Amino acid sequence: MASPLTINPFDAALGAEVTGLDLSNRLADETVTAIQAAWDQHLVLLFRDQAISDDDLVAFSRRFGDLDEPAVNPQGKPYHPDQPYINVISNLTANGVPLGNLGDGEAVWHADMTYRENPPKGAILHGLTVPPAGGATYFANMFAAYDALDADDKALIANKVAIHDGAHNSAGMLRKGYAEQTDVRNTPGARHPLVWRDGDRKALFLGRRPHSYILDMTVADSDALLDRLWARATQDQFMVRHEWRAGDVLMWENLRVLHKRDAFDPASQRVMHRTQISGDPAA
Ligand code: OGA
Ligand code: MN
């Protein structure tokens, strides 16, 4: 039987909408294979109008690999009361205590949990409650960003390694158990090459700008190079912007794509549930 899905690429450097699927159903293996192929090609996939439960989200996510539990958050305990593999991204509070991560402010450009040796290779985010304005999410294609670097910068970064900060989340909040460091050479977190090789292709692997440091450089030189790479990597032509509707499910490749989120009106509500697909330890 022909797979019912249709892939409609965005008019952008990455991303596609997938139509024709109800993710609350158990999908046929061939459908999962088609989604995986589209994900590899387009890096970000959007499924609209998905009325799915947390169990559905976990079951769908598991079709793409093992799942990672959420990172340590500023509260120091999971936001979801009974789903260990679901993180809650929300600005709601109860008695002043956050019920989810990232609040209502901007989340700066980042990839998720790259402070780990083996960060998740993907994430799947389900929009449950979305604000009437603001809170858009952006994605940037790091294959395209690498390809557009000039030859001198490609040579300069070929064997360089950077520290990916584990102390702060993308909203700049300190994770429970971490202390502020004033010297970026002491930033806690995994060290990863600035260039990832994926077969013949190469991608920039930047993680997040705050508290990053390129080993074996002076702090001033590291800061200058990082600023230049970040300015190049986050240009409009490499990016797509997603305005949320309730029921959207977005899945992103986490290691070849950066994402960020706009701030939104604190008086409005934004609640999203997210899973993460474990990275390949050999990658
Ligand atoms: C995340 C994240 C962005 C958003 O879940 O990792 O960065 O739009 N979310 O909520
Ligand atoms: Mn994120």
Side-chain angles (χ1 to χ4, degrees):
M1 194 182 82
S3 174
L5 84 177
T6 309
I7 315 282
N8 303 308
F10 296 152
D11 183 16
L14 72 172
E17 182 176 352
V18 181
T19 58
L21 296 179
D22 175 350
L23 302 185
S24 68
N25 292 329
R26 182 172 169 88
L27 302 176
D29 288 348
E30 69 201 30
T31 304
V32 173
T33 302
I35 294 171
Q36 180 70 61
W39 199 15
D40 291 344
Q41 183 180 351
H42 299 290
L43 303 174
V44 174
L45 297 180
L46 167 66
F47 306 78
R48 292 213 114 131
D49 303 317
Q50 300 294 326
I52 62 173
S53 68
D54 286 339
D55 285 343
D56 294 334
L57 176 62
V58 169
F60 173 66
S61 303
R62 280 193 197 284
R63 303 299 296 280
F64 301 93
D66 292 337
L67 305 186
D68 279 346
E69 293 187 9
V72 175
N73 63 48
Q75 300 301 310
K77 65 175 175 27
Y79 289 120
H80 201 295
D82 47 42
Q83 285 274 9
Y85 290 108
I86 288 191
N87 199 355
V88 180
I89 311 297
S90 168
N91 67 322
L92 303 191
T93 58
N95 304 315
V97 178
L99 296 175
N101 216 346
L102 302 184
D104 53 44
E106 180 185 1
V108 297
W109 284 111
H110 67 283
D112 295 325
M113 289 168 68
T114 60
Y115 59 86
R116 288 197 175 175
E117 296 300 329
N118 181 26
K121 67 180 176 191
I124 307 183
L125 187 60
H126 181 214
L128 298 168
T129 305
V130 307
T137 309
Y138 303 68
F139 297 91
N141 182 338
M142 291 301 104
F143 288 114
Y146 178 84
D147 289 344
L149 292 176
D150 59 45
D152 286 349
D153 274 343
K154 285 180 181 168
L156 185 57
I157 66 174
N159 296 305
K160 292 231 180 314
V161 169
I163 308 180
H164 290 227
D165 177 36
H168 304 83
N169 69 15
S170 58
M173 306 164 184
L174 208 54
R175 300 183 195 276
K176 186 91 171 176
Y178 286 89
E180 292 290 354
Q181 299 287 343
T182 48
D183 185 334
V184 289
R185 291 169 297 189
N186 297 328
T187 294
R191 287 131 197 254
H192 297 293
L194 280 173
V195 181
W196 274 80
R197 283 169 189 77
D198 215 3
D200 290 344
R201 306 183 70 196
K202 292 179 182 168
L204 261 183
F205 190 46
L206 296 175
R208 58 195 65 194
R209 176 65 188 89
H211 313 283
S212 184
Y213 167 67
I214 302 174
L215 303 184
D216 303 323
M217 296 186 88
T218 65
V219 171
D221 286 350
S222 163
D223 280 342
L225 179 52
L226 284 170
D227 286 345
R228 186 160 79 243
L229 294 173
W230 276 94
R232 302 264 166 91
T234 55
Q235 297 177 82
D236 285 353
Q237 72 256 35
F238 306 135
M239 140 190 349
V240 68
R241 174 176 189 269
H242 178 65
E243 279 186 59
W244 288 86
R245 302 198 315 227
D248 286 351
V249 169
L250 259 188
M251 56 198 287
W252 63 84
E253 209 288 347
N254 186 50
L255 302 175
R256 316 288 181 262
V257 172
L258 293 172
H259 59 282
K260 72 165 182 173
R261 183 196 76 184
D262 282 340
F264 55 95
D265 180 355
S268 59
Q269 301 189 340
R270 189 178 189 276
V271 181
M272 314 213 156
H273 285 185
R274 191 194 73 189
T275 56
Q276 298 189 108
I277 321 287
S278 305
D280 175 357

